[in-house]
Each structure stands twice: as structure tokens, then as C-alpha cells.
Amino acid sequence: MYRLHESTVNELQSLKAEFKDQIQEKEAISEKLYAVQEKLSAEEKRRKAIEHELVNLKKGAPEGDKHFEDKKSYMKENIRGTSVLGTTAILNKSGTLRVTQSAQRATIAKICEEVGLQKIIQLLTSEDSDVQIHAVKVIANLAAEDVNQESIVEEGGLDALLTMLRSSQNATILRVASGAIANLAMNEMNQGLIMSRGGAKLLAKTASGTDDPQTLRMVAGALANLCGNEKLHTMLKEDGGIKAMLGMVRSGNSDVVAQVARGLANFAKCESRAMVQGHRKGRSLLMEDHALEWLIDNCNTTSASTRRHIELALSHLAQNEDNARDFISSGALQELQRISNESSREDIRNLAKKMLKSNPVFQGEMRLGQ
């Protein structure tokens, strides 16, 4: 009985010690949990304060959904040296607009200074759609300046914008996010990142899901910039980028059509340069998506800038001898002859004449037609 009593007492003391340890461990866990809860609460208050500040700052910015694109946006004059293919920004013609843009830049600078780029990018995932819209407009404006683009990408801005295209149903968010991606697509390194992360597919999906001319113009501008990188041409075509561009002309909007024409001109010029340098051979990728037919059908458009892009596209496509049979069967050869005589641009006339003279298939066909 004595031994049993002693054993029981020892076991009881052991259990008491174990219970005491558990109580201490529980208290330590409770303290940690409380600290985490306090930290989360403080972070939530800080996030709400930032969102509130961003909304207040946005109220001081120029009103309207279109202002974010009124910088150089994707209307940048050239893409890596393809200056003849860009569309000149016409947004600085009036002194009033210059003042508006200056005020807007000051507002954006103030937002970045007080909130910080990282916090603004975090707001792109906010559950409040109004906060998302304000944040993406700020990012779109920042992306229009080359100096900001690297930081935006490094902080996860590109991924956030692509996620918006993938999941958002808000028309304004889709429009502005497409414009922001178009701005980022002015940079060659960003172009590769956009494509590798499925950007062309998402842009094509966005285009197929809307009839809004402004959204289509943003998407077309982004794809047009991606067309300025020959390394991406095959992927761009496989991901439906070219087909999406040609499909967007259904809107009939002159600005959308102008961006499509610019994209085809970018594509054709880069492709012809790669062919001359020996980087590619064979028939143009544009032939497979019926781009040639569209170019021919729209050669006489009333828009001077769109007509210039179309004429450039045809002239560069003519440089590839493997396209010659398509030119003859489609009637593009006759358009090339007309361009060589009637284009309003001397450089385009000279380019068309050079292509007609240097291509033996064209020479033979023209002799037969005489």
C-alpha cells in the first residue's frame, strides 16, 4: 500500500507539472495570438486609411474615365525604332489640355509620394471596385512614363493587371487595365513578360467580351505594341492576338481601326526586317489570318493615318517573295502599284516602287498585264 501510495503521489505530481507546463504554453500562445490580432487590426486600419486617402486624392484629379490615357499612353510615336509606324499623339494641341495634363501629373506624383507605389499596387486587389478603379487609373498613368515601368513590374503591377483582365467583370476596370498593359507594352522587356504570362490570350478574351469602343481601342493598342517585337510574332499568332485584332474592326470605330492598322504595320515591318537579316523565312504569318484581305479592303479609308499604316503594311509584306503569289491572287499587287504612284507619303511611294522593281514575280506579272 505504501509503494502504491508513493507511486500515485509521484504520478500526480508529474501530472500537475505537465498541467502547469500546458497552462504556461497556452498563455504564451494566447499572448502570441493577441499580438497577431493586434497587428492584423492595425494593418486593416492602415489599409482602410490608405484607401480613404487614395479616394480623397483622386477627387482632386481631373474627372472622367479617359484622362488616364491622355499622356503618351500607347499612342507613343515609335516602338524600338519603328518610328514610321507609331501614331502621333494629338493630345497636346491645346493649352487647356496641357494644363490638365500638368495638373494630373502633379496629382499622380502626390498620390505616389503619400501612399507609395507598393500600396497602390496592393489596392488593385481591393474588394471595393471604386478603390480598384482609382488605383488602376493611377497605375495606368504611371505606366505611361518609361521611368516608372520597371518599378511597376517589380512590385507585381503587371501580374495584378493581368489578374484583373482574367477575373474582373467591371467594364471600367477592364478598359483601364487594358490601357495600363498597353503602356507597359511599349517596353521590349515588358512585352516578353506580358506574352509569357498569357497576356495576348487575356487581351483577346477581353476584346471578344465587349463592344465598348474605348476598351477595344486599349486592347488594340496593347496588341499593336506587341506586334512591334518580331520575337513574339509566332506566340502572338498562336495565342489569337492577330485574329483578335482583325475581329475588333467589327466595331467600326475609327480609333480602333487605326490601332489595328498600326499593329499590322508594326508586324509587317518587323517581319520584313527579320527576313532581310536572315532570321526568318517563308510566307508571312499574317497571310494565315486573312490580314491581307483586310488591308486591301481598307486601302481607301478616309483616315490619313490609318491609310498610311495600311500602305506601309502592304509595302513591307511585298518585300517577302514568298508572299508574291498571295499578292497576285488577292489583287494586292494592283494596290501596291497604286501606292507607288498615289501615296501621300514620298517614303511610302519609294518603298512600294522598290518592292515592285526588286521582286521578279511582280515584274513577270506586270509584263503579262501590259
Side-chain angles (χ1 to χ4, degrees):
M1 289 294 293
Y2 174 77
R3 289 195 196 95
L4 182 60
H5 174 73
E6 186 179 16
S7 174
T8 302
V9 169
N10 290 338
E11 186 177 353
L12 179 61
Q13 289 176 343
S14 175
L15 289 172
K16 284 181 178 180
E18 185 178 344
F19 179 70
K20 184 178 180 181
D21 290 341
Q22 289 179 345
I23 290 295
Q24 290 176 344
E25 185 178 350
K26 180 182 177 182
E27 289 175 351
I29 291 173
S30 296
E31 289 177 1
K32 290 182 181 178
L33 180 60
Y34 179 76
V36 170
Q37 288 174 336
E38 286 291 302
K39 186 176 180 180
L40 288 174
S41 178
E43 185 63 29
E44 179 67 12
K45 289 179 181 177
R46 187 159 47 248
R47 182 183 67 81
K48 288 182 177 179
I50 291 171
E51 291 181 352
H52 180 69
E53 180 66 16
L54 180 60
V55 171
N56 288 338
L57 289 171
K58 186 61 185 178
K59 289 177 181 177
E63 293 295 327
D65 287 340
K66 299 179 183 178
H67 284 295
F68 75 92
E69 67 194 69
D70 285 349
K71 291 190 156 190
K72 58 187 178 185
S73 186
Y74 61 79
M75 307 293 280
K76 189 176 180 182
E77 177 61 24
N78 56 55
I79 304 171
R80 289 288 173 185
T82 57
S83 59
V84 292
L85 301 181
T87 47
T88 304
I90 59 172
L91 301 169
N92 286 325
K93 287 187 176 180
S94 69
T96 302
L97 187 51
R98 281 196 293 272
V99 172
T100 300
Q101 291 176 336
S102 178
Q104 187 178 3
R105 282 193 293 271
T107 301
I108 299 303
K110 183 180 178 184
I111 291 172
C112 286
E113 180 182 347
E114 297 190 9
V115 179
L117 177 61
Q118 187 179 40
K119 291 294 183 183
I120 296 172
I121 291 175
Q122 289 176 358
L123 294 177
L124 295 176
T125 60
S126 171
E127 295 180 0
D128 187 328
S129 60
D130 288 337
V131 171
Q132 275 192 310
I133 290 170
H134 295 329
V136 75
K137 285 183 179 181
V138 173
I139 295 300
N141 269 292
L142 291 172
E145 303 291 342
D146 294 342
V147 68
N148 299 323
Q149 292 185 357
E150 184 177 353
S151 298
I152 291 172
V153 174
E154 287 179 351
E155 294 291 346
L158 174 58
D159 291 330
L161 291 168
L162 292 173
T163 298
M164 283 180 155
L165 291 191
R166 185 179 293 109
S167 59
S168 180
Q169 302 297 319
N170 185 291
T172 302
I173 289 175
L174 291 175
R175 177 169 67 250
V176 184
S178 297
I181 292 170
N183 290 343
L184 291 176
M186 294 187 292
N187 177 283
E188 184 175 351
M189 183 175 294
N190 293 342
Q191 290 167 359
L193 292 174
I194 291 168
M195 290 299 300
S196 67
R197 296 172 187 178
K201 289 181 180 179
L202 291 172
L203 289 166
K205 172 178 168 288
T206 302
S208 66
T210 182
D211 290 322
D212 175 52
Q214 293 303 321
T215 303
L216 292 175
R217 183 163 70 92
M218 301 301 171
V219 173
L223 291 172
N225 286 346
L226 293 173
C227 284
N229 190 330
E230 192 274 331
K231 297 175 184 176
L232 305 176
H233 280 185
T234 300
M235 188 187 301
L236 189 61
K237 180 185 180 301
E238 291 175 351
D239 287 353
I242 304 304
K243 187 174 292 185
M245 284 180 61
L246 292 169
M248 280 185 275
V249 300
R250 70 183 184 278
S251 70
N253 182 274
S254 59
D255 291 331
V256 176
V257 173
Q259 290 302 315
V260 172
R262 183 172 73 89
L264 295 179
N266 279 342
F267 197 105
K269 176 166 184 175
C270 290
E271 198 175 55
S272 67
R273 186 194 301 122
M275 186 197 68
V276 170
Q277 295 173 347
H279 298 158
R280 81 172 307 277
K281 294 180 181 179
R283 188 165 168 256
S284 171
L285 294 174
L286 292 179
M287 300 299 173
E288 299 174 19
D289 283 321
H290 308 291
L292 184 61
E293 289 88 338
W294 184 85
L295 290 168
I296 296 169
D297 291 341
N298 291 273
C299 254
N300 295 316
T301 180
T302 56
S303 168
S305 63
T306 301
R307 188 166 59 251
R308 175 168 62 91
H309 293 314
I310 290 174
E311 291 173 349
L312 276 169
L314 286 171
S315 298
H316 283 295
L317 286 172
Q319 190 166 353
N320 185 346
E321 292 187 6
D322 290 318
N323 295 335
R325 294 301 173 190
D326 291 280
F327 263 66
I328 292 170
S329 62
S330 65
L333 178 57
Q334 285 80 4
E335 285 299 333
L336 190 65
Q337 290 176 292
R338 183 193 62 76
I339 292 169
S340 69
N341 295 316
E342 299 177 10
S343 176
S344 60
R345 290 281 295 269
E346 183 180 0
D347 57 335
I348 298 177
R349 292 198 303 272
N350 292 337
L351 180 60
K353 289 175 182 176
K354 181 181 178 182
M355 296 304 101
L356 289 170
K357 291 178 181 178
S358 62
N359 192 313
V361 178
F362 290 164
Q363 287 290 308
E365 182 68 19
M366 287 188 292
R367 280 195 295 270
L368 289 174
Q370 290 177 350

